């Protein structure tokens, strides 16, 4: 009897969903004062940056179609092995920095188990900047970065492990399309279906396992 009861309890906890995993919505007609949990003008957030400062492991930032100007998003939290943080574009999503300054996405510390998908990032200094920090398990799927005044992805002086980039397009960078390594070790990097136009190319130093 006790053995059967114990098995039932264990099965119950195994089937429980991840605690705190939530879909948050961003819309051009939303407001950061909203709760962010419903896809409506009265429920969604108005900036992608609000996701960056709020979402935690397991959460998904669902960014609705539109152009988001002057959005500078800083990653405040990491995902975990079983609970990634995801920034998902739903439809045609454009982050437009307008004045070619700052970063579209910025690392503020160690950033692990994070995915960005289906977003165009343009007219920033850097599309994504993690300089001097580190990441393990970071993914970019169907992302375009264009018209930057510096590098599109700047991971210089940064420890990078288990980075996956698929279906990536880079157009018109003043400097390198991507920069990895330099003074910190990186490795296990997979880049597939990568298109660079009118950019200086890639710099990958001190990296093992690049394919």
């Amino acid at each position: 009897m006790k053995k059967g009861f114990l098995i039932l309890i264990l099965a119950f906890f195994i089937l429980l969903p991840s605690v705190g995993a939530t879909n948050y919505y961003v819309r051009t007609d939303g407001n950061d004062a909203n709760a962010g949990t419903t896809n409506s003008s009265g429920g969604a957030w108005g900036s992608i940056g609000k996701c960056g400062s709020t979402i935690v492991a397991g959460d998904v930032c669902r960014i609705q179609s539109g152009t988001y100007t002057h959005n500078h998003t800083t990653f405040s939290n990491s995902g975990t092995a079983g609970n990634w943080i995801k920034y998902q574009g739903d439809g045609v999503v454009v982050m437009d920095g307008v004045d070619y300054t700052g970063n579209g996405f910025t690392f503020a510390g160690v950033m692990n188990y994070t995915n960005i998908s289906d977003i165009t990032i343009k007219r920033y200094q850097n599309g994504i900047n993690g300089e001097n920090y580190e990441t393990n398990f970071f993914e970019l799927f169907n992302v375009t970065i264009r018209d930057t005044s510096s590098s599109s992805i700047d991971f210089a002086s940064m420890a990078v492990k288990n980075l996956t980039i698929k279906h990536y397009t880079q157009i018109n960078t003043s400097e390198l399309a991507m920069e990895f390594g330099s003074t910190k070790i990186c490795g296990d990097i997979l880049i597939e279906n990568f298109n660079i136009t009118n950019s200086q190319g890639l710099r990958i130093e001190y990296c093992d396992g690049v394919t």
Side-chain angles (χ1 to χ4, degrees), residues 18 21 25 35-36 43 80 83 100-101 121 127-128 156-157 172 182 184 193 197 209-210:
S18 300
Y25 296 90
T80 62
N83 294 280
Y100 300 91
T101 62
I121 304 166
I128 302 172
S157 304
N172 298 332
S182 296
K184 290 191 177 181
N193 299 310
T197 302
V210 179

Side-chain angles (χ1 to χ4, degrees), residues 106-107 126 128-134 154-159 179 184:
T106 304
F107 286 58
N126 303 107
I128 302 172
N129 191 321
E131 192 172 5
N132 298 317
Y133 291 111
E134 64 181 82
D154 188 350
F155 284 172
S157 304
M158 178 178 176
E179 187 171 5
K184 290 191 177 181

Side-chain angles (χ1 to χ4, degrees), residues 28 46-48 66-72 94-99 122-124:
T28 56
S47 74
I48 303 166
T67 298
Y68 298 82
T69 57
H70 298 288
N71 265 255
H72 298 266
V94 178
M95 293 175 62
D96 188 347
V98 179
D99 59 6
K122 70 177 186 178
R123 298 201 296 182
Y124 291 90

Side-chain angles (χ1 to χ4, degrees), residues 48-163:
I48 303 166
K50 179 66 173 179
C51 280
S53 63
T54 306
I55 65 176
V56 296
D59 290 344
V60 180
C61 177
R62 304 201 68 94
I63 308 161
Q64 304 307 294
S65 291
T67 298
Y68 298 82
T69 57
H70 298 288
N71 265 255
H72 298 266
T73 299
T74 299
F75 298 123
S76 296
N77 298 300
S78 280
T80 62
N83 294 280
W84 286 60
I85 285 177
K86 297 181 180 180
Y87 293 80
Q88 174 65 53
D90 290 338
V92 180
V93 174
V94 178
M95 293 175 62
D96 188 347
V98 179
D99 59 6
Y100 300 91
T101 62
N103 308 305
F105 289 98
T106 304
F107 286 58
V110 177
M111 184 55 52
N112 300 328
Y113 299 100
T114 299
N115 172 284
I116 301 173
S117 297
D118 302 306
I119 297 175
T120 293
I121 304 166
K122 70 177 186 178
R123 298 201 296 182
Y124 291 90
Q125 179 178 351
N126 303 107
I128 302 172
N129 191 321
E131 192 172 5
N132 298 317
Y133 291 111
E134 64 181 82
T135 185
N136 187 21
F137 291 99
F138 188 81
E139 296 177 339
L140 294 177
F141 294 161
N142 300 312
V143 170
T144 295
I145 301 179
R146 59 175 301 147
D147 307 319
T148 58
S149 60
S150 186
S151 299
S152 64
I153 298 176
D154 188 350
F155 284 172
S157 304
M158 178 178 176
V160 180
K161 297 286 286 184
N162 298 298
L163 171 69

